[in-house]
Amino acid sequence: MSLPAVNQLLSFPDPTSLARSHRAKALLFHDRRSLELLEHVERIARSEATVLVIGETGTGKELIARHIHKQSGRKGPFVAVNCGAFSESLIDAELFGHESGAFTGASQARAGWFEAANGGTLFLDEIGDLPMPLQVKLLRVLQERQVVRLGSRRATPLDVRLVAATNIDLGAAVEGQRFRADLYWRLSVASVQLPPLRERPGDILPLARHFIELYGDKLQLDEVALSPEAEAALLAYAWPGNIRELENVVHYALIVCRHGVIRPQDFRFVPLRGRPAPAPLGPLPPHGDPLASTALPGRCGAAAPEPVEQLLTAFEALLAGGQRDLFRTVEASLVRHAYTRCDDNQVQTARLLGVTRNTLRTLLKRYGLLGDGGELTGEADAAGEPALTH
């Protein structure tokens, strides 16, 4: 089967209503791994299998669930519920409904989210937060395809496809007796491993340009472009907050950039302590699946890549993308970042980069960072030579 079209965009029907949401508001499939993911998602969407979407926060799990619903051909509604948004005392009634007088304050009968999604798809986000007693009831609903409201003895038949999502290791939760193994296997009939943004670098620049267009229109800006150095900076960053963080970084850069060009100094990166490891993999998919995992439940994901490995990944993306003047782009980005980090102090920058002051001055002049009036401080440089002053 051929891969889907490059740059297919998934977004919410009204992304402007999610301004304060932590969710990713767009998925754009350009990277080869993303295209394989999309083909895998569209293949399982045509079945009626329950789906478990696994991925870090901000990777676009709800967008994947919405695409599964759209591709499934189901005529009913798509209903999204965050299992972590309700108290343990309320989530039972929210999911399964209640009759009048079932508990204090239940003045009238009310259908739950399962009934609301009848004929369509129910998306349960943060399924790992579901309390153990409700896990038993959810398992029964999935097995019997019917729901019983609180305070009622009558079962209501259901035609609902369930898509669940998690950013925690459910296998480890099963081992720790915080999640039922039988429910885990029932949920993961078909699993989707959604890679973090740092593992699909080919998507970074297309997504950045999408957000530039989106927020550029809102800010009533003329056409705004990314400088080559800015592109290199985006590709070199680890994106612990994934697509949602990329959106915020681009939005801020549009606000502060000048002359219609975004430069590295316009980005406000806020790296988290202890970069998150890739989300744990789910159960073994069918043999021959392009995204097949060899991880068993309970195994941790691979360790996060080291900075040099991230840099190599960025180089690979630049080389594969046919970046023009690649050497100058990378060299200029490194020099600019180091110079900014050292508050434009040439001696400290030379020491940080491990070059002599004369080499640094040549680089600064080459990239327009040093005019005729540039000065060095009265310190010795990294090579131990006396500093020059003008």
Side-chain angles (χ1 to χ4, degrees):
M1 182 181 295
S2 61
L3 292 176
V6 174
N7 284 348
Q8 180 169 341
L9 175 69
L10 302 185
S11 62
F12 287 94
D14 182 15
T16 58
S17 65
L18 304 173
R20 297 177 179 235
S21 172
H22 67 277
R23 293 175 290 183
K25 291 194 287 189
L27 269 175
L28 204 157
F29 301 87
H30 185 89
D31 190 273
R32 177 73 183 183
R33 186 173 182 184
S34 295
L35 290 172
E36 292 175 348
L37 168 70
L38 183 58
E39 190 273 334
H40 173 66
V41 167
E42 293 183 346
R43 187 169 67 248
I44 66 176
R46 293 186 287 272
S47 72
E48 286 295 313
T50 301
V51 181
L52 179 63
V53 184
I54 307 163
E56 295 177 5
T57 299
T59 49
K61 296 187 288 296
E62 183 173 338
L63 288 170
I64 291 293
R66 287 177 176 271
H67 192 60
I68 289 173
H69 171 69
K70 181 179 179 181
Q71 294 294 311
S72 71
R74 297 183 69 86
K75 303 302 182 184
F78 176 90
V79 177
V81 179
N82 188 326
C83 295
F86 301 101
S87 66
E88 187 171 344
S89 61
L90 290 179
I91 193 170
D92 194 338
E94 289 289 337
L95 284 178
F96 308 115
H98 62 81
E99 297 293 339
S100 176
F103 53 87
T104 303
S107 58
Q108 59 185 8
R110 182 181 176 185
W113 293 117
F114 269 96
E115 290 183 66
N118 217 353
T121 302
L122 178 63
F123 173 60
L124 295 183
D125 198 6
E126 298 186 25
I127 190 71
D129 291 341
L130 200 64
M132 288 291 282
L134 290 187
Q135 293 179 27
V136 177
K137 192 165 185 178
L138 175 59
L139 179 62
R140 186 181 306 118
V141 169
L142 294 178
Q143 290 173 338
E144 300 176 1
R145 313 301 295 178
Q146 58 185 18
V147 66
V148 179
R149 295 182 184 181
L150 289 177
S152 174
R153 296 183 178 180
R154 180 176 60 87
T156 302
L158 291 176
D159 175 22
V160 174
R161 184 181 192 175
L162 184 67
V163 179
T166 182
N167 60 3
I168 68 170
D169 188 341
L170 286 186
V174 169
E175 291 185 349
Q177 299 184 345
R178 300 185 305 276
F179 202 86
R180 293 182 62 92
D182 47 6
L183 178 59
Y184 175 77
W185 292 112
R186 172 68 68 168
L187 291 173
S188 56
V189 174
S191 62
V192 174
Q193 179 72 37
L194 189 51
L197 187 57
R198 62 183 172 274
E199 293 182 9
R200 39 194 172 104
D203 292 342
I204 293 175
L205 295 183
L207 276 168
R209 295 187 183 103
H210 166 73
F211 290 128
I212 287 173
E213 181 179 353
L214 177 66
Y215 286 104
D217 289 343
K218 292 180 181 180
L219 295 170
Q220 298 182 339
L221 300 175
D222 294 331
E223 185 174 348
V224 178
L226 289 165
S227 70
E229 296 82 6
E231 292 183 352
L234 290 176
L235 290 170
Y237 186 59
W239 300 111
N242 292 293
I243 298 171
R244 181 57 179 168
E245 183 182 12
L246 174 61
E247 178 186 352
N248 290 340
V249 166
V250 170
H251 189 181
Y252 176 79
L254 283 170
I255 294 173
V256 301
C257 73
R258 298 181 179 181
H259 310 303
V261 178
I262 295 177
R263 296 177 173 83
Q265 55 267 34
D266 299 323
F267 295 135
R268 184 175 59 181
F269 296 124
V270 187
L272 302 178
R273 292 185 179 180
R275 188 181 309 116
L281 298 177
L284 293 173
H287 178 70
D289 189 295
L291 300 176
S293 161
T294 57
L296 294 175
R299 290 186 182 178
C300 295
E306 294 298 322
V308 172
E309 294 176 352
Q310 297 172 31
L311 186 60
L312 292 176
T313 299
F315 284 160
E316 179 62 30
L318 289 169
L319 291 168
Q323 173 76 40
R324 298 183 62 182
D325 298 326
L326 179 57
F327 184 83
R328 287 179 60 86
T329 297
V330 173
E331 184 181 63
S333 180
L334 177 61
V335 172
R336 288 177 187 275
H337 275 277
Y339 196 43
T340 300
R341 182 183 181 88
C342 295
D343 297 323
D344 295 350
N345 184 298
Q346 297 173 23
V347 170
Q348 293 180 16
T349 303
R351 185 178 298 119
L352 180 63
L353 293 176
V355 300
T356 66
R357 65 168 183 270
N358 291 331
T359 298
L360 176 67
R361 287 174 61 82
T362 299
L363 293 171
L364 293 176
K365 289 181 179 180
R366 179 182 301 168
Y367 298 115
L369 299 175
L370 180 65
D372 294 336
E375 296 183 357
L376 280 170
T377 60
E379 304 176 33
D381 76 351
E385 303 173 31
L388 297 178
T389 58
H390 295 275

